[in-house]
Amino acid sequence: MGYLVYAVYPVLIALLLWKSKLYKKGEYNEEYMDISCTKALLGFFAICIIMHHISQKMWAQIQSPESLRNALHPFRGTGYLFVAFFFFCSGYGLMKSSLGKEDYHKGFLKKRFLPLIITFIVTDSAFQFARIAKGVQGFPANTYSWFVFVIAVLYIGFYLCIRFLKDKAMLGIIIFSVIWCVICRLIYFDTYWYNSVLAFPMGAFVAKHYEGVTKRLQSKYPIYLIVTLVVTGFFTFFGLSGMRIYNMLGTTLGIEGSMQVQTLLQLVAAVSFSLLIMMISMKLKVGNKALSFLGGMTLEIYLVHTLFVEMFCKQFIGSDRKFYYIADPFLYLIVVVALTIPAAFAVSLVRTKFVPFVKDKPYTAWAIKVLRKTAMVAGVLLATAIAYYSITSHVTSAREKSNVEQYKAENITMTEVDGKSMSAYITGEGERTVLLLGDATDPAPSLTMRPLADALGDNYKVIVPDLFGRGFSDSTKKARTSENIADELYDLVGKQNGGKPVVLISFETSGIIAETYINKYRNNVEVFVGIDMATSDILSAYSDNPNMTKEEVYYAVKCSGKRSRCFSKLLNLTGFVRMELISYSDAFARGVMSDHFNIIGEKFISESGNNESIEEQAYMFMDGRALKDFKLPEDLPGLILTYEYSNKDMNPKPYDLYAKLISNSDIQEVSYIAGNIYFIFYQPETIDKMVDEFLGESN
């Protein structure tokens, strides 16, 4: 049944060509940019965008033959082209309307924003309910709703240019769009936030010079069509894969430079594709009732279909949870489309029929007035809150600076490693030494892992290091590969433990470092304990995309980390960063760190998202792939602990993946811990007891 997915191509062609009209030589569709034509094309491209998102999920997640996973391959990397035509038509429509009306800017934002807001609220609410059901809340709930925010930004830019620049409005729109692209690049937004945006000013340009553009294109139509087709094909082909560019220019540009070239190619392809579709419309008039129906609710289709794309794929919102996984590609496609159309129509009815603000009702003006005043009050309150939190947060950080230094002097040991100072919390005086590694995203393991270190310290000497760039350690320019980190840890242990073997304990992502350490310094490890640790199989099942090259994964993770760092800096600037500390407060509500929670907060604010941590996480995926065949050495006692909650509703279960690491069941085992991963912070005695029992057995 899965191979029926290939039927999508003749169906789409039939949908496009049904009742279409092809004009003879010398004849043209004089209505090629009228709303009836563009509406039909947008309806068609709305379906293509559904195919695009389905193809991405099929490629990455559906467990089926490669021929089926790649069945919709032409759609996988071309979604931005379909979106570009939406931007093109939007720019065209706005400019055309403004040219025929001098006071077009009056009421512009209300007319444009209300439909967006209503549709977004309705669809995002439905998405949020689904996320709550799976415990993966977030805002916006719909991770595909970037289009709403981008088109809103373009609306604002268009309004400002038309309102204040008058005759220079067109130039202003172009500059505004380019600035948006630059900003997105600087703050490391994913390329889909901007790689199709330049089609918007191009659409506005065509509308402003419609007659001249039409005459020029029709004067040498075959030549212009061929040139546009070749340009579109060339830039689309080379813009499909950053690795293609990397393979050609990687030695000069590196992976980051290659990806930037890919984005530039896509920007050109988006504009060229929009012009190509416009030119084809001059000769082929597309339109039928089905496309007109779809074209009347394109925004609703875009925002609704993604819910069903996620609900029936293997991993909901990229998490470790799922709703109703449909493995058969054809059935997956049919279910998504079949549910999207009626759901989108229902949302469109809410927007057009049932919401008073979008209809000419006597109380509409009153409602808008109330909303405007509410927005003004909310804006004043928000500005006041930002000023208050920003000032108090920075004052608090300045006041706590001396306390941080005092804590460091009293509790942290500094060791020279590779010519720099590495900090560590060292406690206990047992015969055995524990090297306890924290998660890669932890800004200061010497602080957060202290409760467990203190519990273990009753029987062992415990070393909890801050890797370079985190906690109280120095920064470094050395690549944050797992091998380099393992070398640094070996140097640290040698100086703090006299070179004696250690009990190596890793938590979460430090599992990759621990496995690398074992491979390289097996004789320096007497026992291994992993606590919900990352492994090659864990990363592959829940985070990594095996279809991407290691360079692509490295670049994607690094951009994600830099994007998070930009967001953290914004939160720090406004002072709202301290609200994130609420999640830490529960973990450290009792015990020794409750008395030093302010120290944790300051290190969280100052160290989160630093370069070393970002690079460490990026290398983690590359290094994890190299450990695909890793197993614990047969003579190494090993205990792998996984929390019961971590295995809930998961397929495959981490427990089963950890079992693959066992090479000698006589001295190695996998066990459950009741609860969730946060227990390591506020119930360390549970882990301490399990480690004590295991070490007693492995003497």
Side-chain angles (χ1 to χ4, degrees):
M1 185 175 179
Y3 286 95
L4 289 175
V5 71
Y6 285 96
V8 69
Y9 294 104
V11 170
L12 286 176
I13 293 173
L15 178 64
L16 180 66
L17 298 181
W18 178 37
K19 292 191 176 181
S20 64
K21 179 181 179 181
L22 181 63
Y23 287 81
K24 299 178 182 178
K25 183 178 179 179
E27 296 181 354
Y28 297 94
N29 174 20
E30 300 299 334
E31 302 174 341
Y32 70 97
M33 284 302 293
D34 282 5
I35 190 170
S36 59
C37 293
T38 57
K39 187 177 181 180
L41 285 170
L42 292 177
F44 177 76
F45 285 135
I47 299 299
C48 289
I49 290 173
I50 296 178
M51 298 300 111
H52 164 66
H53 288 135
I54 289 177
S55 69
Q56 289 183 319
K57 291 298 183 181
M58 288 172 58
W59 174 69
Q61 294 186 349
I62 289 184
Q63 306 301 311
S64 55
E66 186 175 355
S67 59
L68 289 183
R69 290 197 299 110
N70 293 329
L72 301 181
H73 185 75
F75 292 99
R76 185 165 61 84
T78 54
Y80 75 100
L81 297 177
F82 308 137
V83 174
F85 194 69
F86 279 81
F87 285 132
F88 181 84
C89 291
S90 182
Y92 178 90
L94 293 178
M95 180 59 77
K96 182 179 179 181
S97 298
S98 69
L99 291 173
K101 199 173 182 182
E102 290 187 7
D103 59 347
Y104 179 69
H105 62 274
K106 292 183 178 179
F108 173 85
L109 295 179
K110 178 183 72 175
K111 289 185 293 185
R112 292 293 170 179
F113 272 78
L114 280 176
L116 276 180
I117 293 172
I118 293 167
T119 305
F120 172 76
I121 290 176
V122 173
T123 55
D124 209 64
S125 297
F127 223 117
Q128 193 66 265
F129 282 122
R131 293 188 69 141
I132 291 173
K134 288 301 173 184
V136 286
Q137 297 90 329
F139 181 83
N142 185 348
T143 54
Y144 302 78
S145 60
W146 64 269
F147 177 82
V148 174
F149 298 98
V150 175
I151 197 66
V153 169
L154 294 177
Y155 283 166
I156 292 172
F158 183 88
Y159 168 79
L160 294 175
C161 293
I162 293 296
R163 178 74 175 83
F164 299 107
L165 298 183
K166 308 298 182 183
D167 295 338
K168 302 292 185 180
M170 188 64 245
L171 178 61
I173 294 169
I174 295 173
I175 294 174
F176 183 91
S177 301
V178 172
I179 290 175
W180 170 255
C181 294
V182 173
I183 291 174
C184 287
R185 175 67 191 109
L186 290 176
I187 58 180
Y188 295 95
F189 271 17
D190 288 318
T191 54
Y192 54 74
W193 279 81
Y194 60 100
N195 61 359
S196 55
V197 160
L198 294 186
F200 180 86
M202 178 55 71
F205 179 85
V206 170
K208 186 174 179 63
H209 304 283
Y210 179 78
E211 292 185 4
V213 169
T214 301
K215 289 180 180 180
R216 179 175 289 274
L217 292 178
Q218 291 181 355
S219 66
K220 297 180 180 180
Y221 181 82
I223 296 176
Y224 283 120
L225 180 63
I226 293 173
V227 170
T228 308
L229 182 61
V230 170
V231 170
T232 302
F234 175 85
F235 283 93
T236 299
F237 176 77
F238 285 99
L240 278 174
S241 172
M243 285 308 299
R244 183 180 289 124
I245 300 168
Y246 177 75
N247 291 333
M248 294 187 296
L249 306 172
T251 54
T252 303
L253 299 176
I255 185 63
E256 187 165 352
S258 299
M259 291 300 182
Q260 290 180 18
V261 170
Q262 180 191 20
T263 302
L264 291 174
L265 294 173
Q266 290 178 345
L267 285 165
V268 177
V271 174
S272 181
F273 176 80
S274 299
L275 292 175
L276 177 63
I277 298 301
M278 183 190 76
M279 293 188 66
I280 292 175
S281 298
M282 289 181 172
K283 278 294 186 179
L284 180 67
K285 185 177 182 179
V286 175
N288 54 62
K289 290 183 178 180
L291 290 179
S292 296
F293 172 71
L294 296 173
M297 54 182 188
T298 53
L299 180 62
E300 288 81 1
I301 290 175
Y302 179 86
L303 292 177
V304 166
H305 86 276
T306 53
L307 173 60
F308 302 119
V309 167
E310 290 289 344
M311 285 186 68
F312 300 107
C313 72
K314 186 178 180 182
Q315 293 176 313
F316 180 69
I317 312 292
S319 70
D320 50 22
R321 304 287 187 262
K322 64 179 182 294
F323 263 90
Y324 309 102
Y325 176 42
I326 301 178
D328 184 274
F330 177 69
L331 185 59
Y332 177 48
L333 185 153
I334 291 298
V335 169
V336 170
V337 174
L339 292 176
T340 293
I341 304 304
F345 180 67
V347 175
S348 71
L349 288 179
V350 173
R351 173 176 60 83
T352 59
K353 302 294 184 182
F354 303 123
V355 178
F357 308 147
V358 295
K359 296 188 292 183
D360 187 18
K361 295 284 188 178
Y363 49 83
T364 298
W366 173 83
I368 296 298
K369 185 177 180 180
V370 171
L371 282 177
R372 186 182 295 115
K373 289 185 176 181
T374 302
M376 292 176 63
V377 172
V380 171
L381 291 176
L382 178 61
T384 303
I386 290 175
Y388 171 78
Y389 281 114
S390 179
I391 294 172
T392 56
S393 177
H394 286 84
V395 168
T396 299
S397 292
R399 186 178 63 244
E400 292 292 343
K401 188 174 182 179
S402 60
N403 293 330
V404 172
E405 290 301 318
Q406 182 179 351
Y407 181 90
K408 175 183 176 182
E410 295 176 353
N411 299 280
I412 301 299
T413 300
M414 306 302 295
T415 306
E416 183 177 333
V417 174
D418 197 24
K420 296 182 178 295
S421 292
M422 177 176 284
S423 60
Y425 175 68
I426 301 178
T427 187
E429 296 181 353
E431 293 184 4
R432 279 175 160 170
T433 298
V434 171
L435 177 61
L436 177 58
L437 305 180
D439 180 61
T441 61
D442 191 332
S446 64
L447 293 169
T448 59
M449 302 298 287
R450 180 174 170 178
L452 178 57
D454 285 345
L456 293 168
D458 291 339
N459 298 308
Y460 320 102
K461 177 181 179 180
V462 184
I463 303 173
V464 187
D466 292 324
L467 301 183
F468 285 134
R470 289 193 269 161
F472 300 94
S473 291
D474 288 348
S475 294
T476 183
K477 297 294 184 182
K478 196 170 186 177
R480 295 293 80 206
T481 64
S482 296
E483 185 168 344
N484 285 344
I485 294 173
D487 291 341
E488 293 159 1
L489 290 173
Y490 181 74
D491 191 3
L492 173 69
V493 170
K495 292 178 178 178
Q496 290 294 337
N497 194 44
K500 294 187 298 183
V502 298
V503 175
L504 179 60
I505 301 181
S506 70
F507 175 55
E508 289 202 307
T509 55
S510 65
I512 299 300
I513 297 172
E515 290 182 357
T516 303
Y517 192 93
I518 292 171
N519 275 344
K520 196 165 187 180
Y521 301 110
R522 165 65 189 89
N523 292 333
N524 192 249
V525 181
E526 63 167 316
V527 179
F528 172 68
V529 178
I531 305 173
D532 250 14
M533 56 181 281
T535 67
S536 180
D537 284 341
I538 292 291
L539 293 177
S540 179
Y542 306 119
S543 302
D544 195 3
N545 187 333
N547 295 293
M548 296 174 67
T549 66
K550 62 181 183 180
E551 292 84 4
E552 287 176 306
V553 172
Y554 172 83
Y555 177 76
V557 175
K558 199 165 185 178
C559 284
S560 177
K562 289 182 176 180
R563 184 166 59 249
S564 297
R565 182 176 61 195
C566 291
F567 184 64
S568 296
K569 287 184 176 180
L570 176 62
L571 290 178
N572 191 15
L573 178 66
T574 60
F576 287 114
V577 66
R578 294 188 181 276
M579 292 186 176
E580 288 196 84
L581 297 178
I582 296 174
S583 60
Y584 275 70
S585 63
D586 289 339
F588 301 100
R590 64 184 182 87
V592 63
M593 294 315 296
S594 63
D595 298 328
H596 302 291
F597 185 71
N598 56 330
I599 310 298
I600 293 179
E602 293 307 314
K603 299 310 289 184
F604 172 85
I605 292 171
S606 62
E607 303 298 334
S608 290
N610 60 58
N611 286 325
E612 290 87 349
S613 178
I614 291 172
E615 192 174 359
E616 182 183 331
Q617 293 173 62
Y619 274 115
M620 176 184 66
F621 286 89
M622 297 176 68
D623 297 339
R625 290 185 175 190
L627 293 166
K628 180 174 175 57
D629 299 321
F630 176 86
K631 285 182 178 292
L632 292 174
E634 290 186 359
D635 62 340
L636 177 64
L639 171 65
I640 301 177
L641 303 175
T642 179
Y643 289 97
E644 290 179 348
Y645 184 82
S646 300
N647 289 267
K648 183 181 178 182
D649 299 329
M650 295 178 68
N651 184 26
K653 294 183 180 299
Y655 184 97
D656 298 329
L657 298 179
Y658 291 139
K660 294 181 179 180
L661 301 179
I662 302 300
S663 62
N664 183 352
S665 58
D666 291 334
I667 58 173
Q668 298 165 1
E669 64 179 80
V670 182
S671 297
Y672 280 116
I673 307 176
N676 58 54
I677 60 172
Y678 301 108
F679 277 28
I680 195 172
F681 303 119
Y682 57 82
Q683 288 191 3
E685 60 276 1
T686 301
I687 297 174
D688 176 44
K689 181 180 179 181
M690 298 182 76
V691 171
D692 282 345
E693 291 176 352
F694 183 77
L695 290 179
E697 293 174 0
S698 62
N699 279 329

